[in-house]
Every structure is written in structure tokens, then in C-alpha cells.
Amino acid sequence: MQYNYFPGRLRFRDPVLRDKEIRSAALEAVAILCPQAQISYKESTASILAIYPPESVNPDSLKVLIPYLLKLEPKIHFYTPRKKDEVLVGIAEIKSVIQKIVGDMIK
């Protein structure tokens, strides 16, 4: 999976996002992270783009996601439909970490 980050802009791209369930789970994770983001999906590039107010997300707080993304990466890189459940479980783990991050930011 390819990730591109610039304050106020996050894009991730991979053919696995063409799977509707995986894409929906990924979109939900991004929406939890930044509810005010404008999130779009582009089928031709299999990419999700989130544009958000840069001050609404502290990039340092996202470093905790790196181990989870690295754990999920091989399942995505060598994706087959048999790995779909594993990918969805990995995204669910990431969503729960994001919910904790957001909860901590609210406190």
C-alpha cells in the first residue's frame, strides 16, 4: 500500500481498496480519525483521499499506528480473497487504536 501524507491531506492507494468491504472499513477508519475530513475514493487509481483542516490532526499522535500498519502491510501486499478476513481484522484493530487516539484528544 502506498501512503502519502502532507498536513491537511492523506492519500492511500492499493488495488485491495477495490474490494467494497475493505474499502468501506478503511473509509470508516479515516472518518473516525477526522470527522470533518472530505473523503473521496477514486476507482481508477484505487485510492482514498482525505482532505482535512491540518490543525485537527496531530501527526505525532498517529505514530502509534505504525506497528499496526506494518502488521497489515504484508497481508495487503500479497492479497488474495482468502486473506480478506485477515485484512478486515487488521483494519478493525487500526480503527480501535484510532478511536483511542480520538478519545485521548477529546479529554
Side-chain angles (χ1 to χ4, degrees):
M1 182 165 289
Q2 178 185 355
Y3 307 92
N4 298 64
Y5 168 78
F6 187 79
R9 217 176 138 89
L10 173 66
R11 179 185 302 274
F12 47 107
R13 174 184 325 210
D14 195 275
V16 74
L17 293 172
R18 289 195 170 102
D19 180 285
K20 187 176 181 177
E21 285 181 79
I22 292 173
R23 179 176 61 248
S24 293
L27 287 168
E28 287 173 16
V30 175
I32 293 168
L33 180 62
C34 188
Q36 60 270 57
Q38 294 176 325
I39 305 168
S40 60
Y41 170 71
K42 189 171 184 181
E43 179 68 29
S44 63
T45 59
S47 66
I48 293 174
L49 172 64
I51 299 173
Y52 57 92
E55 65 280 355
S56 66
V57 177
N58 177 356
D60 290 333
S61 69
L62 301 180
K63 290 179 182 176
V64 71
L65 293 174
I66 292 172
Y68 297 94
L69 293 168
L70 291 173
K71 182 179 170 185
L72 183 60
E73 182 69 30
K75 295 171 184 139
I76 291 173
H77 186 70
F78 299 106
Y79 179 75
T80 66
R82 290 187 314 195
K83 293 183 182 179
K84 182 176 184 171
D85 289 338
E86 293 176 49
V87 170
L88 290 171
V89 166
I91 294 171
E93 283 182 311
I94 291 169
K95 282 171 48 176
S96 69
V97 173
I98 290 171
Q99 288 170 329
K100 183 180 179 330
I101 292 169
V102 171
D104 291 346
M105 288 177 8
I106 293 172
K107 291 179 184 179

